[in-house]
Amino acid sequence: MPYPPEHKARTRARIVEAARKLFNRYGFELVSIDQIMAAAGLTRGGFYHHFDSKDTLYAAAVTSFAETNPYRRALESGPPLTPREMARALVDVYLGDAVFGDIDNHCPLYALPGDVARAGQSPQRAYTDLARRMMAVYENALRENMPAPQAQARAQALVSLCVGGMLLARTTDDPALRGSLREASRQQALALLEAR
Amino acid sequence: MPYPPEHKARTRARIVEAARKLFNRYGFELVSIDQIMAAAGLTRGGFYHHFDSKDTLYAAAVTSFAETNPYRRALESGPPLTPREMARALVDVYLGDAVFGDIDNHCPLYALPGDVARAGQSPQRAYTDLARRMMAVYENALRENMPAPQAQARAQALVSLCVGGMLLARTTDDPALRGSLREASRQQALALLEAR
DNA sequence: TGTACATCAGTGAACGCGCGTTCACTGATGTAC
DNA sequence: TGTACATCAGTGAACGCGCGTTCACTGATGTAC
């Protein structure tokens, strides 16, 4: 064993992390392996010691978000929350100014949908897993005041609302609309967590 | 005038139409000028008689959707509708099975956000115009039962919900989720058009 | 009415560039003795 | 403890390919006489 066993794993994680941030900003196709490796402090050639192909990296990047994402950290750092408090906090963080201004930590659900859809199976699976995690947070909260099927449907609508709000805000060129789309989505999402 | 004056305009429209459909399916970067021109029944070289660059074509494609989109046709073909009927019909068409199965006519709001954001100014403006058109339909309906500022905020949330629902449905790899995300978003959107 | 001409939409070969991938290599590290 | 060795993560040059773009050309059409 010429290198300690964690060495390769740590390098790999550095590549995935660099890739995730670059993908979030520019999408899959516009980011080259050169750029990713340079951002990770390495050179082109070494890439294929860690990944079969560029495609393989996509799924790893989406998955890595689910495991290291800032929402999770924000929600788990304080005192333990009830399901309802957790759901409310997720809405606030997800659509809030701090995350919107920090593109590196944007959620792949709205940062990468087109790229994921075109990149094939395993990125799509990672993407779907992430969506389900978010749905589960809302569903847990809603189960308190409605039967399971309704809670599930409303949780799906809530995820659509949060993702759609961020997506539109991120893509429009109108600064006023960027703010009001997120605020309108946030208010509506909070209302839907309480209602009936 | 060697050719009738409409000749060039018609060819241009054919190119834009071919591009719009290909972009909807594969995004900007993955579609080549060769493919677009071939789909329009032309060859590579002629492209630059119609557009300065590939970038110029993006905005034209997004704009063309706003002008020829199937929602508009569906909404305007029948007898005249009240604002409220129009909004309900838009929700149904937008999230319905017919459009979901017809990728050529998917809405750029969810088919192209990443590509638009990266492609720069004029596609972003066309994208924002399209979002505003959709907001206006909902806002018109909501004005009947609430003050203007609330109607505007709710209209923005409704657009986020519709776009987000389609986006997630289009990107997930789970067929059941594809259906239920759209249905949950549709039901919730209709409820939000009625409520309070 | 018929012919020569001018225009310009469309053609297709060619260019240069960047990218994903491959490969022979280097050199840092842990192990065997 | 010190030295030779084996391993393999990382290097960087090279490859082949596809793409956006350019350009000299063709040929269909309307116009002038």
Side-chain angles (χ1 to χ4, degrees):
Chain A
M1 281 299 142
Y3 281 86
E6 332 80 70
H7 179 91
K8 192 173 180 183
R10 253 181 297 141
T11 304
R12 193 194 133 102
R14 230 164 65 230
I15 297 171
V16 171
E17 183 69 1
R20 189 182 63 72
K21 290 179 183 173
L22 285 165
F23 289 158
N24 255 358
R25 207 173 278 269
Y26 306 110
F28 290 160
E29 284 102 9
L30 290 179
V31 176
S32 69
I33 290 176
D34 263 45
Q35 285 169 50
I36 294 165
M37 293 302 275
L42 298 163
T43 56
R44 189 181 12 276
F47 179 79
Y48 294 88
H49 286 284
H50 295 278
F51 300 94
D52 283 350
S53 68
K54 200 185 175 190
D55 284 19
T56 314
L57 179 59
Y58 294 157
V62 175
T63 302
S64 99
F65 179 86
E67 277 149 18
T68 67
N69 78 72
Y71 314 113
R72 207 172 168 185
R73 256 177 282 134
L75 302 186
E76 287 172 357
S77 62
L81 302 173
T82 66
R84 169 145 318 237
E85 288 166 341
M86 180 94 91
R88 276 199 286 252
L90 179 55
V91 168
D92 282 334
V93 177
Y94 205 84
L95 290 157
D97 291 328
V99 165
F100 191 74
D102 175 21
I103 301 187
D104 282 350
N105 284 316
H106 275 194
C107 175
L109 291 181
Y110 54 81
L112 293 175
D115 304 86
V116 167
R118 285 164 222 137
Q121 271 206 350
S122 76
Q124 269 182 286
R125 192 155 18 214
Y127 183 95
T128 304
D129 286 350
L130 189 55
R132 273 196 232 277
R133 277 180 204 240
M134 194 170 166
M135 278 166 44
V137 172
Y138 293 137
E139 205 177 333
N140 276 343
L142 292 165
R143 281 251 185 78
E144 291 173 13
N145 32 342
M146 60 186 77
Q150 269 106 308
Q152 194 186 331
R154 184 166 295 186
Q156 293 185 2
L158 273 161
V159 174
S160 300
L161 177 59
C162 293
V163 169
M166 281 298 277
L167 180 92
L168 289 166
R170 197 183 134 122
T171 313
T172 185
D173 63 343
D174 179 337
L177 206 53
R178 276 206 278 273
S180 70
L181 274 164
R182 288 187 294 122
E183 181 57 16
S185 300
R186 195 179 72 84
Q187 295 290 357
Q188 188 61 70
L190 293 175
L192 288 176
L193 280 175
E194 305 311 324
R196 214 190 58 102
Chain B
M1 279 301 144
Y3 282 88
E6 333 80 71
H7 179 92
K8 192 173 181 183
R10 252 181 298 140
T11 304
R12 193 193 132 103
R14 231 165 65 229
I15 298 171
V16 172
E17 184 68 2
R20 188 182 63 71
K21 290 179 183 174
L22 285 166
F23 289 159
N24 255 359
R25 208 173 276 272
Y26 307 109
F28 290 159
E29 284 102 10
L30 290 179
V31 176
S32 70
I33 289 176
D34 263 44
Q35 284 169 52
I36 293 166
M37 292 302 273
L42 298 163
T43 56
R44 185 176 21 272
F47 180 80
Y48 293 90
H49 287 283
H50 295 278
F51 300 95
D52 283 349
S53 68
K54 200 185 174 190
D55 285 20
T56 314
L57 180 58
Y58 294 157
V62 175
T63 302
S64 99
F65 180 86
E67 277 149 18
T68 66
N69 77 71
Y71 313 113
R72 204 168 170 190
R73 257 177 282 135
L75 302 186
E76 288 173 356
S77 62
L81 302 173
T82 66
R84 170 144 318 238
E85 288 166 341
M86 181 95 90
R88 275 199 287 252
L90 179 55
V91 168
D92 281 336
V93 176
Y94 205 86
L95 291 156
D97 291 328
V99 165
F100 191 73
D102 174 20
I103 302 186
D104 282 349
N105 284 314
H106 276 195
C107 175
L109 291 181
Y110 53 81
L112 294 175
D115 304 86
V116 167
R118 286 162 221 140
Q121 271 206 349
S122 76
Q124 269 182 289
R125 191 155 20 213
Y127 183 94
T128 304
D129 286 350
L130 189 56
R132 273 197 232 279
R133 277 181 203 240
M134 194 170 166
M135 278 167 45
V137 172
Y138 293 137
E139 206 178 335
N140 276 342
L142 293 164
R143 280 250 186 78
E144 292 173 12
N145 33 343
M146 60 187 75
Q150 269 106 308
Q152 195 187 332
R154 184 166 298 187
Q156 292 185 3
L158 273 162
V159 174
S160 300
L161 177 58
C162 293
V163 169
M166 281 299 276
L167 180 92
L168 290 165
R170 197 183 133 120
T171 314
T172 184
D173 65 342
D174 180 336
L177 205 54
R178 275 205 279 274
S180 70
L181 275 164
R182 287 187 294 124
E183 182 55 17
S185 299
R186 194 178 73 84
Q187 295 290 357
Q188 188 62 69
L190 291 176
L192 288 175
L193 279 175
E194 305 311 323
R196 215 194 56 106

